[in-house]
Amino acid sequence: MATASSVQPEMLRTLPSDAARQVQWGFADRFDLQMLVQATRGVARGPVARLVASGGRNSHEWTPAKAELLEAFDGAGITAVFMEPEEGGLFAGPKNLALALVAFELAWVDGGAATASLAGCLALSPIHERGTEEQQRRYMKLAAPAQPGEDRKPWRGAFCLTEPIPYVGVDTGMLNGKLRIVEWKPGQEPILQVEKRGRFITNIGFANFVTAAVDSGDERIKGSCLVILEEGDPGVFDRGTPTKKMVHQLSSTGDPIFNLRVPASRIIGGYDIKDGVLVPRYNHSEVIEAVFRRTRVTVGVMTAAKLLSAVEPIIRYQRGRFRGAETATPGSVRYELGLQAREDALHRLVDVWATGEASASLAFAAARAFDELDPLEKEMEKLYAERGISGGKAKAKLLREAADQAVTLMQLPAGDARRDALNSDLLLRFVALDSSADVLCPAAKLWNTGWGAQTMREAVSLMGGYGITEDCPGFLGNKWMDAQLEATYEGPEAVQRRQLSVTMTNPVFLAQFRGWIREMRGIASEHPGTGACALATAMSMWLWTLDHLQHSKDADGSRLYQSARQGVTFPLADALCWLVAAGCQILDVLRLQREGTNDASLAEGLAGLVNFLSDLCHVQSARASGEVARICAELVFGYNRHPAWDEEGTRGCWHADELDVLEGFIPGINSYALDVVKGDGSHPKKAGPCVECHAAQPFLSLHARLDACLTGSRLAKDRAAEAVSKLMIPEALDYPA
Ligand SMILES: Cc1cc2nc3c(=O)[nH]c(=O)nc-3n(C[C@H](O)[C@H](O)[C@H](O)COP(=O)(O)OP(=O)(O)OC[C@H]3O[C@@H](n4cnc5c(N)ncnc54)[C@H](O)[C@@H]3O)c2cc1C
């Protein structure tokens, strides 16, 4: 009879199925989304893949073949995802997860195709988030695909914020686009002249309308706004020349020039007239903040899809690498395993896979959070109306009070009945979810795309020379380059880091973060193989470091944690992303383990899949912990000046003659003393006397503990590598090369 210790754990048999992904990413109960995934996949692995394989990416121009993809999106229901049913949409309710799944499926094959689809939603988003009812009705209807029997083409949109240098880029406040009043008859609506030059504007080759950011160029208009421009408006609607980009060639990008007359009703969200001045209800920053908050999540999803899509082609390449050679006869290790007989090839693939899992989990968690937040935002609007709260200051006061209350409740021990209000009270639920969404979104955009682009390079390298050819299965070379664009557009990494450096210090987020640490410890006690314990220790280290930096100064007396000090705040934001991503990954695997048994189609290979994915969690947690330890150590110690061999620096050192005297009383002390200065002033050859780190002692203890927490992580990697070498994959990729 087999003893417990001799029973081999179940191994992974196949790549994760759709059913497994549905549970992991939280849409097992959404048949509508499952159908959407299948429909989108048909387009991605059909027309999109064929266009890439036939060289569609070799031109910057917007070609008829590329335009056909838009029709394929319409036909598959992709265009309609953004709209409500009454506007011609597919389903009611929040759309963040749905859009994330569309992005995932399209980017699995080509990021440009995903962008072409999403840029239409980006153009509509300002109208969706802040538009007047009339604006929403008009543009959603126009942009929805034609219903059966309707003879019209859906309108396509472009979102135009970025301007030619030296104006809008990362710094979105530097607007040059101008809005002036050219006609204002008494009692009538003002007519505006809009001048805007765009740079790198997606969809511009075919857009019928544009949502453009402009500033007042007229003393009768207050501040900035977003304005809707239409192709047929009187004046100049010049699409400009196509951008010669090296990425995402299946989307259209160019530098347009607009000089158009439009009615003031095109100002997104409307306007008021105060003392003869036209005051837009929302300035451009307020609108783009509401827009990017959601749309950046889908960009993060795209890079995750690339990483996970690389797994199957790499396995196939590695296994078949030596087949056909005389020495590689069927049955031999060379024939059967190919490059997978080599540990490094497997380990690197495990790293790529683990990063893909973590980034998908992070981005889908962010998308789900916004799906939860959207209805809460609407309820909040009702609550403001009921309480007669209208001004920004009054709202901020209410939210501040709710935030204080939420933090107090979150600090109560688990099981305290007063904590129930955190789930039942609208205001408390809102501030909690809002603060975590404020972190999840920039984290998904920053980490998935930035670290994802680095990891895509690893994926490409695993295919050798093939990886950087057009023939590479899975188009991995394209995906590597495309990932860099995903890290850049909708605000490059600096923008996300800047946002995180503010939102991650929100006390409501930090109170939840402490809760996550407790949650990870709890998980670790039930599922030690996930690496959750190491992650919890790394989370504690991050928290200690943040607190330390917020209350410390550098060697010259300057405050460390402040907005201008990006050398402090940005790396700490990066460190947080590693933690959040690895945490989301663990939670998704546990959901699969818990709920996967409900699905008969999953039951057979579930244990092996969960074991494998848990090992990937362990690998990722260890990597994340190491990154956090490295970043935090540099920040905690790096801003202190190292002692020198001068009078001040040697004040705490032993002097050789003192030691000689002491040796008489305490035999052996000589051998313990460091940094001994000799009578002639000579000293050991090093940078200076070693640093005394009393203030950082808790950090050093955490560091030592974290190192030990990595125990077992390499065994997990070995197990994952073995599983990767044994799992079955289909004979051929299901889309062309
Ligand atoms: C293919 C493509 C499609 C695009 N589509 C659109 C679109 O549809 N609509 C649209 O409006 N825009 C679009 N963009 C523009 C895109 O959003 C911008 O390129 C991006 O936001 C960066 O702006 P920038 O190129 O001016 O970079 P810059 O502002 O010049 O930034 C360059 C680098 O400098 C650093 N940096 C800049 N400012 C700071 C700072 N304050 N702190 C720290 N570091 C900083 C960052 O590292 C940054 O990455 C697109 C771009 C491309 C390439």
Side-chain angles (χ1 to χ4, degrees):
M1 209 173 91
T3 61
S5 60
S6 68
V7 174
Q8 286 295 313
E10 283 252 4
M11 297 239 342
L12 177 71
R13 299 179 196 177
T14 59
L15 293 163
S17 64
D18 279 339
R21 293 314 199 185
Q22 288 156 12
V23 179
Q24 268 181 288
W25 299 333
F27 63 106
D29 56 347
R30 292 283 307 269
F31 187 62
D32 51 354
L33 296 188
Q34 294 164 19
M35 295 299 288
L36 175 67
V37 164
Q38 292 308 321
T40 311
R41 188 174 298 172
V43 177
R45 302 187 194 187
V48 172
R50 284 196 294 276
L51 187 55
V52 178
S54 63
R57 291 180 55 124
N58 296 339
S59 156
H60 309 293
E61 303 295 330
W62 184 246
T63 62
K66 293 179 193 176
E68 276 177 26
L69 291 185
L70 301 180
E71 286 171 27
F73 296 157
D74 296 343
I78 295 170
T79 316
V81 172
F82 193 77
M83 289 99 189
E84 294 301 318
E86 60 275 18
E87 298 158 347
L90 285 188
F91 38 75
K95 316 275 188 282
N96 302 286
L97 182 57
L99 289 166
L101 290 165
V102 165
F104 186 87
E105 285 301 325
L106 290 173
W108 184 275
V109 177
D110 187 79
T115 293
S117 147
L118 295 172
C121 307
L122 181 61
L124 285 168
S125 284
I127 302 172
H128 181 264
E129 297 303 327
R130 294 289 180 266
T132 61
E133 269 181 34
E134 201 185 339
Q135 289 166 346
Q136 291 183 4
R137 245 193 328 270
R138 172 174 170 76
Y139 292 97
M140 296 298 162
K141 266 213 145 82
L142 284 169
Q147 299 295 312
E150 255 190 313
D151 181 24
R152 64 168 179 88
K153 282 197 177 304
W155 274 29
R156 315 287 178 189
F159 171 83
C160 185
L161 171 64
T162 309
E163 296 178 352
I165 284 174
Y167 296 103
V168 179
V170 164
D171 201 345
T172 51
M174 279 176 58
L175 266 182
N176 188 47
K178 288 285 178 282
L179 193 64
R180 295 185 181 85
I181 297 173
V182 283
E183 198 182 301
W184 194 353
K185 293 186 181 146
Q188 286 188 18
E189 186 173 38
I191 302 294
L192 311 173
Q193 189 74 30
V194 182
E195 281 177 50
K196 170 88 181 178
R197 295 172 75 103
R199 181 169 183 242
F200 305 148
I201 303 306
T202 307
N203 278 8
I204 200 60
F206 51 83
N208 309 100
F209 73 96
V210 175
T211 43
V214 283
D215 202 358
S216 167
D218 192 319
E219 56 190 20
R220 291 169 297 167
I221 301 176
K222 185 163 181 236
S224 64
C225 64
L226 254 85
V227 64
I228 308 168
L229 309 175
E230 293 185 8
E231 200 178 3
D233 289 330
V236 178
F237 189 106
D238 180 349
R239 298 176 190 279
T241 47
T243 307
K244 291 184 178 161
K245 42 184 185 167
M246 298 190 286
V247 293
H248 281 215
Q249 291 92 340
L250 294 194
S251 67
S252 148
T253 315
D255 298 354
I257 301 168
F258 306 109
N259 194 347
L260 298 164
R261 270 168 87 97
V262 301
S265 59
R266 296 283 190 77
I267 291 174
I268 292 181
Y271 60 91
D272 297 304
I273 304 291
K274 287 187 188 149
D275 303 327
V277 174
L278 187 159
V279 185
R281 291 204 186 114
Y282 300 103
N283 67 37
H284 85 290
S285 303
E286 286 168 324
V287 181
I288 60 178
E289 195 184 311
V291 167
F292 282 150
R293 212 173 168 220
R294 289 165 172 80
T295 57
R296 282 173 176 155
V297 173
T298 34
V299 181
V301 168
M302 285 165 61
T303 324
K306 291 177 163 62
L307 292 170
L308 291 176
S309 78
V311 170
E312 186 187 332
I314 294 172
I315 294 177
R316 189 172 293 106
Y317 176 77
Q318 289 179 332
R319 296 226 181 126
R321 176 65 179 83
F322 304 119
R323 288 182 193 168
E326 269 175 36
T327 50
T329 48
S332 67
V333 171
R334 249 174 123 65
Y335 182 92
E336 299 300 335
L337 286 178
L339 283 167
Q340 292 206 329
R342 305 287 170 218
E343 190 173 73
D344 184 66
L346 286 170
H347 277 193
R348 283 178 192 278
L349 178 53
V350 165
D351 285 335
V352 170
W353 196 337
T355 307
E357 293 293 334
S359 51
S361 290
L362 170 57
F364 285 122
R368 290 194 305 271
F370 280 102
D371 270 2
E372 230 183 295
L373 194 60
D374 283 358
L376 284 193
E377 280 181 343
K378 291 202 178 90
E379 285 183 51
M380 285 295 295
E381 288 305 323
K382 276 192 221 152
L383 183 136
Y384 292 138
E386 281 161 18
R387 297 194 186 182
I389 296 172
S390 56
K393 272 193 186 157
K395 285 181 186 172
K397 182 167 177 278
L398 182 71
L399 293 176
R400 227 178 10 255
E401 285 165 4
D404 290 345
Q405 199 190 342
V407 172
T408 309
L409 294 178
M410 284 172 191
Q411 284 163 350
L412 294 172
D416 189 313
R418 284 169 294 172
R419 286 180 66 104
D420 295 350
L422 287 167
N423 294 323
S424 58
D425 183 278
L426 169 64
L427 256 169
L428 298 180
R429 271 167 61 215
F430 176 74
V431 289
L433 193 56
D434 196 52
S435 72
S436 60
D438 263 350
V439 167
L440 287 173
C441 170
K445 171 74 165 70
L446 170 61
W447 190 79
N448 284 16
T449 62
W451 184 247
Q454 310 254 36
T455 312
M456 255 332 279
R457 192 206 67 79
E458 280 285 334
V460 168
S461 80
L462 291 175
M463 303 285 271
Y466 207 17
I468 35 178
T469 68
E470 287 181 7
D471 299 329
C472 180
F475 314 127
L476 298 194
N478 291 343
K479 286 175 182 167
W480 170 31
M481 282 288 283
D482 284 354
Q484 181 53 40
L485 175 61
E486 287 139 35
T488 301
Y489 71 1
E490 292 206 30
E493 286 139 289
V495 174
Q496 315 310 320
R497 291 184 174 115
R498 202 168 50 186
Q499 193 186 334
L500 274 168
S501 65
V502 176
T503 57
M504 71 192 188
T505 58
N506 178 344
V508 185
F509 169 72
L510 291 175
Q512 289 179 91
F513 190 75
R514 287 191 184 90
W516 293 350
I517 296 177
R518 290 192 293 274
E519 187 181 3
M520 283 298 141
R521 290 263 185 248
I523 290 171
S525 76
E526 302 279 316
H527 309 272
T530 53
C533 223
L535 201 63
T537 308
M539 285 170 145
S540 305
M541 177 185 274
W542 181 87
L543 208 51
W544 188 93
T545 305
L546 172 68
D547 186 65
H548 174 78
L549 295 171
Q550 282 177 318
H551 298 99
S552 303
K553 294 185 172 162
D554 69 8
D556 296 321
S558 298
R559 273 196 307 122
L560 281 173
Y561 202 95
Q562 50 164 313
S563 66
R565 203 108 197 216
Q566 296 177 343
V568 175
T569 56
F570 282 20
L572 211 54
D574 287 327
L576 177 65
C577 293
W578 280 94
L579 296 171
V580 177
C584 291
Q585 183 184 3
I586 292 173
L587 295 179
D588 278 359
V589 174
L590 293 188
R591 185 182 306 113
L592 177 64
Q593 184 173 32
R594 224 176 28 246
E595 297 173 17
T597 43
N598 301 339
D599 183 333
S601 72
L602 264 175
E604 205 184 328
L606 186 63
L609 178 60
V610 168
N611 286 340
F612 172 73
L613 291 175
S614 300
D615 282 335
L616 289 192
C617 287
H618 207 158
V619 167
Q620 191 60 28
S621 298
R623 178 68 199 256
S625 306
E627 288 293 331
V628 171
R630 176 184 65 76
I631 292 169
C632 291
E634 221 177 297
L635 293 177
V636 168
F637 297 105
Y639 285 100
N640 300 330
R641 190 159 289 121
H642 199 291
W645 293 110
D646 55 15
E647 198 190 328
E648 193 191 337
T650 54
R651 206 167 283 150
C653 292
W654 291 104
H655 288 264
D657 44 0
E658 278 171 1
L659 277 175
D660 288 343
V661 175
L662 281 173
E663 185 70 28
F665 304 104
I666 314 167
I669 190 169
N670 254 316
S671 56
Y672 286 106
L674 283 172
D675 298 338
V676 181
V677 180
K678 295 203 175 134
D680 60 1
S682 63
H683 50 72
K685 288 207 180 314
K686 55 198 184 92
C690 278
V691 186
E692 300 281 345
C693 309
H694 301 303
Q697 206 52 50
F699 180 86
L700 293 174
S701 306
L702 273 171
H703 209 305
R705 187 169 161 199
L706 184 56
D707 289 349
C709 283
L710 301 182
T711 305
S713 60
R714 284 273 154 173
L715 295 176
K717 193 170 214 171
D718 280 348
R719 276 193 305 274
E722 190 190 351
V724 167
S725 73
K726 291 187 173 155
L727 83 112
M728 284 183 295
I729 57 166
E731 275 299 305
L733 205 59
D734 66 353
Y735 57 99

